[in-house]
Amino acid sequence: MPIFQRDGIWWLDIRHSGRRIRRTTGTADKQAAQEYHDKIKAELWRKERIGERPTATWAQAVTAWWKAKGSKHKSVDTDLPRLRLLTEMLGRPPLPNITTSLLHQVRGELLDAGRSEATCNRYMALVSSILHYAHELEWIPAVPKIPKGREDNARIRWITREQADRLVAELPPHLALMAEFTLQTGLRRANVTGLMWSAVDLGRRMATVDPEDAKA
């Protein structure tokens, strides 16, 4: 079956040179899905017969990665603005034009704009994920070395008991309770605001946080 439907979206299913390629077309339009299937099949034929490698752009790689993996990330809210900025900085070059030298330049511009080493590393991790996915699709022969800076993970300062008391005193009651609970447990904001009653045992004075929802 060259294309098939799953949850309203068409997928392609191609057998070529002893291997099977199955991936989403990203569309609910059957004609568009068939055209995408035919395009992939033609590219596979050209690559096998005349050694031609399809040249995809950065924008195409971002779109393909987002449909396959990006939209499922927990960090989707931060990934989207970062992808927009990266695309503004990189433009829409063919993927082979994205070199380590170019990524060093982009990283330098991010640092010059006031972003920290850690934040720049998050941007580069996003680029790495997209380029590795493009490599899986055989859009590029190899992934360039991704520049990474050294992060300063040292704690800068502690909040004192007096500062904590002043903070809690300034907050409205519902936020004061949340702030005091956060200070006592060391939990992150998402763990506190998303805590469910099913995870709270008042009798034992204990709350449970799933490891998948907590860092460290």
Side-chain angles (χ1 to χ4, degrees):
M1 182 184 299
I3 61 173
F4 63 95
Q5 205 169 25
R6 178 185 294 170
D7 297 329
I9 300 298
W10 288 96
W11 287 60
L12 61 82
D13 189 352
I14 300 174
R15 294 185 182 276
H16 180 81
S17 298
R19 68 189 184 100
R20 188 177 191 181
I21 300 172
R22 177 181 285 188
R23 75 174 73 136
T24 178
T25 66
T27 180
D29 186 304
K30 185 175 182 180
Q31 182 177 346
Q34 187 64 55
E35 290 174 358
Y36 180 70
H37 165 275
D38 296 343
K39 176 177 177 290
I40 296 299
K41 198 164 185 179
E43 288 175 353
L44 290 169
W45 183 88
R46 288 197 300 271
K47 179 183 175 183
E48 180 180 66
R49 298 288 177 169
I50 59 179
E52 179 182 328
R53 185 179 295 276
T55 303
T57 65
W58 164 257
Q60 289 173 317
V62 168
T63 300
W65 176 85
W66 183 258
K67 289 178 179 177
K69 299 184 178 183
S71 59
K72 301 177 181 65
H73 279 198
K74 289 184 179 180
S75 55
V76 60
D77 291 337
T78 54
D79 283 348
L80 272 175
R82 286 173 181 172
L83 283 173
R84 292 191 188 102
L85 180 57
L86 284 169
T87 301
E88 287 177 14
M89 298 174 75
L90 286 168
R92 297 173 178 266
L95 287 176
N97 290 6
I98 299 179
T99 61
T100 300
S101 176
L102 176 60
L103 294 178
H104 271 295
Q105 179 182 328
V106 169
R107 197 175 188 284
E109 291 175 5
L110 289 169
L111 287 170
D112 291 342
R115 288 170 175 83
S116 67
E117 290 281 359
T119 299
C120 290
N121 285 346
R122 303 296 88 75
Y123 275 89
M124 291 299 107
L126 202 51
V127 172
S128 177
S129 182
I130 292 167
L131 293 182
H132 274 89
Y133 184 64
H135 179 57
E136 288 179 24
L137 299 180
E138 299 186 346
W139 287 358
I140 49 175
V143 176
K145 185 176 180 181
I146 309 296
K148 182 179 180 181
R150 185 172 182 177
E151 298 181 22
D152 182 7
N153 293 318
R155 184 181 295 277
I156 298 174
R157 65 189 292 270
W158 294 85
I159 186 170
T160 66
R161 165 64 71 176
E162 291 73 19
Q163 290 170 332
D165 290 341
R166 291 204 306 270
L167 169 65
V168 172
E170 290 293 327
L171 295 172
H174 68 292
L175 292 180
L177 288 171
M178 292 175 67
E180 192 166 1
F181 179 73
T182 303
L183 289 166
Q184 294 287 350
T185 61
L187 289 173
R188 294 173 179 267
R189 180 179 62 182
N191 297 131
V192 176
T193 58
L195 189 64
M196 306 293 288
W197 278 113
S198 58
V200 177
D201 187 336
L202 292 176
R204 298 169 64 193
R205 300 176 62 82
M206 184 175 71
T208 304
V209 178
D210 194 299
E212 292 183 358
D213 298 326
K215 293 185 177 180

